[in-house]
Amino acid sequence: MKEAIKVGLIGLGTVGCGVYKVLTEQSELIRKRLGIPLIVSRIADIDVDRIRPVRVPREIITTDAARIIDDPEIDIVIELMGGFEPAKTFILDAIDRGKQVVTANKALLATYGDVIFKTAEAGCVDIGFEASVGGTIPVIKTIKECLVANNIRSLYGIMNGTCNYILSRMTDGGEDFQTVLKDAQSLGFAESDPTYDIEAIDTAHKLAICLSLAYGTRVKLDDIYRQGISFISQSDIEFARELGYTIKLLAIAIDRGGAVEARIHPTMIPFDHLLSSVGSNFNAFHFVGDSAGSVFLYGQGAGMMPTASAVVSDIVDIGRDLASGIAKRVPLRSYQEREIRDISLLPIDDIVTNYYFRFSAVDRPGVLSKISGVLGLNNISIASVIQKGRRLEGAVPVVMTTHKAREKDVRQALQEIDRLDIVLDKTIIIRIEDEELI
Ligand code: NAP
């Protein structure tokens, strides 16, 4: 029987400090739940002198991560430095030394998960990565364990706090995208270079991880359709409201039987859906399982303490297994490794959904019939029209929503419409999730 679990932490930044804080301030609570003490043996960071929100004894901090990876006394290596290299090498080296690993590194897992999980499998090593998706929200455990009896019919997620903060402020305060982005940056809700968040790259990493667990598959990031939020204007927010919708950046996975639909884009969702009320920088995940039905998870998707909470839950989970002499109780990728296979993601051209179009048209009779004529010829049937004569930069906005239409037809129709001399600017399209969103 082990007398203590010893951990080494690489990366004493935002999340690393949170983890150290929980492990030291809640050490007694954790001992009661784990059964034996959990000891932070060593911490590695490039900068040992920086002033941090936690006080770490000088003798356990080092600039050399190898002193953790090569230490035979350390049971679990916690990688919280982020990025691809040297994080990937550190994790593979730790696995090679037979250490269990905990990481929050979604970019790394979404990109190099296959090699990392295969190596861990071969080495009979566990990897905890709860914090990589949804921060404090137990998304990974929900897919891997709580919903193990279910075929996951669909997942709709608000997976990026920065985008949700921006869209919520635009919706509630009537401000434009650039103003809110600047504010979000000064409040620490957005990075100085916000590309990763607002272009939905971060969301794609999280959706890729969810897809691989939900469907037992390898996912190529480039196969996930991704559209960011920077084109959303205040007028789209207002039209959405008029139509009974809220705009959210949704990550969507739908099992189409044989293929999975995986896409990320700003989406109009009905006011009365729970996802519509997820405000500020919160995240939410709405699963539909064939046995469970709807399951809704909500919470903080990032931040020092919420993320630390998830990291520590992995450490304690693995610590409990080590204390009981069990290894890898739950398959790393939810499915047994030999069952992992490539499945096809449905090309974006083949999706069928409802659409919102905002045309920038000249203020002249006959505009509506010309536009609706092209839509009709491309098998797109109109559900509603708003035309108010309200001018937007010289053009009159004409808003249409459609019944279910195929993306390929929509693209073809808009190409034709945007070439018409009555259309002054590129048409804005926003997909609508309505009937399928339970
Ligand atoms: P962070 O604040 O930048 O912390 C990373 C720390 O690692 C920094 O102190 C950095 O030092 C250090 N570091 C970099 N290279 C190192 C090396 N070779 N050896 C030792 N230390 C090294 O990042 P974070 O926000 O805590 O994020 C950590 C991980 O958690 C990332 O994978 C991120 O995606 C994930 N995550 C973060 C959040 C969140 O809310 N922040 C939420 C979910 C997941 P320098 O600063 O001197 O470079």
Side-chain angles (χ1 to χ4, degrees):
M1 172 78 181
K2 280 183 89 68
E3 288 178 358
I5 301 294
K6 293 190 177 168
V7 303
L9 170 57
I10 307 176
L12 192 59
T14 306
V15 183
C17 285
V19 168
Y20 184 75
K21 190 171 157 67
V22 175
L23 292 181
T24 48
E25 291 180 4
Q26 302 298 342
S27 61
E28 188 48 19
L29 178 73
I30 288 168
R31 186 197 60 75
K32 287 181 190 165
R33 291 176 173 170
L34 173 58
I36 50 178
L38 205 150
I39 298 162
V40 182
S41 295
R42 197 164 302 285
I43 296 177
D45 195 283
I46 294 175
D47 183 352
V48 296
D49 297 317
R50 192 166 57 219
I51 295 173
R52 295 181 160 91
V54 289
R55 285 171 70 91
V56 178
R58 192 73 198 195
E59 62 275 15
I60 69 163
I61 191 155
T62 173
T63 53
D64 184 8
R67 291 193 60 198
I68 292 175
I69 296 163
D70 294 335
D71 183 345
E73 293 280 302
I74 288 178
D75 302 294
I76 306 174
V77 172
I78 309 161
E79 182 278 304
L80 293 174
M81 49 183 281
F84 295 129
E85 283 295 354
K88 177 168 154 250
T89 302
F90 286 170
I91 288 178
L92 292 175
D93 285 351
I95 294 169
D96 186 53
R97 312 284 191 282
K99 301 200 184 306
Q100 320 297 311
V101 172
V102 172
T103 178
N105 197 333
K106 55 213 152 193
L108 182 66
L109 292 181
T111 314
Y112 296 106
D114 201 40
V115 63
I116 291 172
F117 288 123
K118 273 189 186 145
T119 312
E121 179 69 26
C124 210
V125 157
D126 213 344
I127 301 189
F129 51 102
E130 186 60 68
S132 64
V133 181
T136 204
I137 309 169
V139 178
I140 305 295
K141 206 178 195 90
T142 297
I143 305 177
K144 281 172 67 166
E145 299 190 52
C146 312
L147 294 178
V148 72
N150 290 263
N151 288 301
I152 310 275
R153 291 241 168 94
S154 61
L155 162 62
Y156 293 86
I158 294 173
M159 303 191 185
N160 184 275
T162 305
C163 289
N164 204 47
Y165 177 82
I166 292 172
L167 291 173
S168 300
R169 279 268 309 264
M170 288 175 73
T171 303
D172 300 339
E175 297 154 286
D176 66 32
F177 176 81
Q178 285 303 338
T179 311
V180 180
L181 173 62
K182 275 207 189 93
D183 241 30
Q185 285 168 318
S186 65
L187 291 166
F189 288 133
E191 303 281 341
S192 51
D193 176 1
T195 314
Y196 240 57
D197 292 317
I198 65 173
E199 293 307 329
I201 301 165
D202 172 78
T203 303
H205 290 151
K206 294 167 181 168
L207 181 61
I209 294 171
C210 290
L211 285 166
S212 69
L213 303 180
Y215 302 108
T217 185
R218 287 171 283 260
V219 178
K220 284 199 211 90
L221 272 173
D222 288 347
D223 290 348
I224 298 177
Y225 174 78
R226 166 172 72 73
Q227 183 188 33
I229 63 166
S230 54
F231 74 94
I232 299 289
S233 70
Q234 192 46 235
S235 52
D236 297 316
I237 301 258
E238 283 166 28
F239 282 124
R241 185 178 292 124
E242 206 168 321
L243 292 161
Y245 298 117
T246 311
I247 301 177
K248 295 286 183 193
L249 181 73
L250 280 199
I252 299 173
I254 304 172
D255 185 354
R256 295 290 182 200
V260 171
E261 204 169 303
R263 49 192 166 102
I264 301 160
H265 48 71
T267 312
M268 292 195 183
I269 48 177
F271 281 152
D272 58 0
H273 193 275
L274 268 179
L275 283 169
S276 168
S277 60
V278 175
S280 188
N281 61 338
F282 278 86
N283 283 198
F285 294 75
H286 178 207
F287 293 94
V288 178
D290 55 358
S291 306
S294 269
V295 175
F296 194 84
L297 305 174
Y298 168 86
Q300 280 292 342
M304 174 171 147
M305 298 315 292
T307 311
S309 163
V311 172
V312 173
S313 82
D314 276 339
I315 299 170
V316 173
D317 252 9
I318 293 175
R320 282 171 170 157
D321 284 352
L322 290 175
S324 322
I326 304 168
K328 270 184 32 325
R329 191 179 53 82
V330 181
L332 295 172
R333 288 194 262 192
S334 185
Y335 288 65
Q336 297 297 332
E337 203 57 28
R338 63 181 174 278
E339 304 293 342
I340 305 282
R341 58 203 69 227
D342 294 317
I343 57 168
S344 49
L345 298 185
L346 206 68
I348 189 70
D349 267 356
D350 293 345
I351 72 154
V352 174
T353 188
N354 303 320
Y355 292 84
Y356 157 100
F357 304 137
R358 177 166 58 79
F359 304 101
S360 299
V362 295
D363 198 359
R364 196 193 297 162
V367 164
L368 269 184
S369 65
K370 267 199 176 168
I371 291 176
S372 47
V374 178
L375 292 176
L377 286 173
N378 283 285
N379 312 310
I380 299 162
S381 115
I382 299 165
S384 68
V385 179
I386 307 176
Q387 189 191 27
K388 293 193 167 168
R390 157 171 54 173
R391 282 187 177 273
L392 277 180
E393 288 156 12
V396 175
V398 176
V399 164
M400 290 184 187
T401 62
T402 72
H403 294 294
K404 287 237 181 284
R406 198 157 155 248
E407 179 97 8
K408 192 173 180 185
D409 295 334
V410 165
R411 287 177 185 227
Q412 177 60 36
L414 293 189
Q415 241 183 42
E416 291 171 30
I417 290 170
D418 285 353
R419 280 201 299 261
L420 296 174
D421 59 356
I422 52 155
V423 172
L424 300 179
D425 210 345
K426 198 170 172 338
T427 299
I428 298 296
I429 100 167
I430 302 177
R431 297 167 190 85
I432 302 173
E433 287 299 318
D434 218 328
E435 302 104 31
E436 281 195 81
L437 203 57
I438 305 170

